[in-house]
Amino acid sequence: DQQVKQNSPSLSVQEGRISILNCDYTNSMFDYFLWYKKYPAEGPTFLISISSIKDKNEDGRFTVFLNKSAKHLSLHIVPSQPGDSAVYFCAASAGGGGSYIPTFGRGTSLIVHP
Amino acid sequence: DTAVSQTPKYLVTQMGNDKSIKCEQNLGHDTMYWYKQDSKKFLKIMFSYNNKELIINETVPNRFSPKSPDKAHLNLHINSLELGDSAVYFCASSQVQGSGELFFGEGSRLTVL
């Protein structure tokens, strides 16, 4: 039962272009969404998050968009750089009681070509 | 001064053995977790500990047992290892009432032969 889905296992983009990574979720109780970035042989590191009361959050080159009615979020990276090449995990959590234990998708491998 | 550290990073062992993976965090966080990344690449929650209390256990076999000697440590013990236990195990920590942001260790790759 995949509550968080990342249907594209990989994405290849030219340096300087926009990278768009997509994520869908099924649990309507999710109210907080996060993106993590993972390099090989390292643990995931937090990148950006968004609360369900917002539809957009921006941090430098990274912007996350949330469409609650479609249960869809996306991560935009502009402009993409070779150092952005990594696996990106989408995660979602349901608040209440401060539990905030994220459920993760299976990740999308982004390759940015110079 | 790694924030979340796990040992060992690699572990190769035979079926039926018992093994442990250690985790320590120096962030002063109240909650620690163990996630398993299987061959399908999903990161699945196994355990979460808050102030030495187990607050979630996602139908993990009882061969797996978390042990938390103090707030900064959450070790994972696995008894009678099976082939299907081969995976990368990630330890993480977070503030209880925080943003849900987890800080992960580098992972421990377990291979059961």
Side-chain angles (χ1 to χ4, degrees), chain A residues 32 36 43-44 46 98 102 106, chain B residues 35 40 42 96 99 101-102 104-105:
Chain A
Y32 196 77
Y36 286 80
F46 170 75
R106 64 187 298 174
Chain B
Y35 278 83
K40 294 183 179 179
F42 284 100
V96 174
S99 62
E101 177 186 344
L102 268 58
F104 283 87

Side-chain angles (χ1 to χ4, degrees), chain B residues 19-73:
Chain B
K19 290 294 178 186
S20 296
I21 305 173
K22 295 185 178 181
C23 179
E24 175 182 4
Q25 56 97 2
N26 62 8
L27 297 168
H29 287 165
D30 288 331
T31 305
M32 296 183 71
Y33 312 81
W34 277 104
Y35 278 83
K36 176 182 179 181
Q37 186 179 32
D38 57 23
S39 58
K40 294 183 179 179
K41 303 302 182 184
F42 284 100
L43 278 164
K44 296 182 179 177
I45 183 70
M46 299 179 71
F47 301 104
S48 174
Y49 251 76
N50 182 349
N51 290 328
K52 303 179 76 171
E53 268 190 85
L54 179 66
I55 60 173
I56 187 168
N57 182 335
E58 292 287 326
T59 64
V60 171
N62 57 15
R63 297 183 295 104
F64 291 79
S65 56
K67 297 276 194 297
S68 181
D70 55 56
K71 197 174 82 164
H73 295 84

Side-chain angles (χ1 to χ4, degrees), chain B residues 35-38 43 86-90 106-110:
Chain B
Y35 278 83
K36 176 182 179 181
Q37 186 179 32
D38 57 23
L43 278 164
S86 295
V88 181
Y89 293 85
F90 288 97
E106 291 185 332
S108 297
R109 180 176 291 278
L110 171 65

Side-chain angles (χ1 to χ4, degrees), chain A residues 41-78:
Chain A
E42 294 184 10
T45 55
F46 170 75
L47 187 59
I48 192 169
S49 63
I50 188 167
S51 164
S52 60
I53 61 173
K54 293 186 173 183
D55 54 17
K56 177 182 174 181
N57 188 26
E58 190 172 353
D59 183 2
R61 296 186 297 114
F62 302 91
T63 303
V64 55
F65 294 92
L66 175 62
N67 182 335
K68 287 193 295 291
S69 60
K71 292 193 177 68
H72 176 84
L73 64 154
S74 60
L75 174 68
H76 292 213
I77 306 174
V78 182

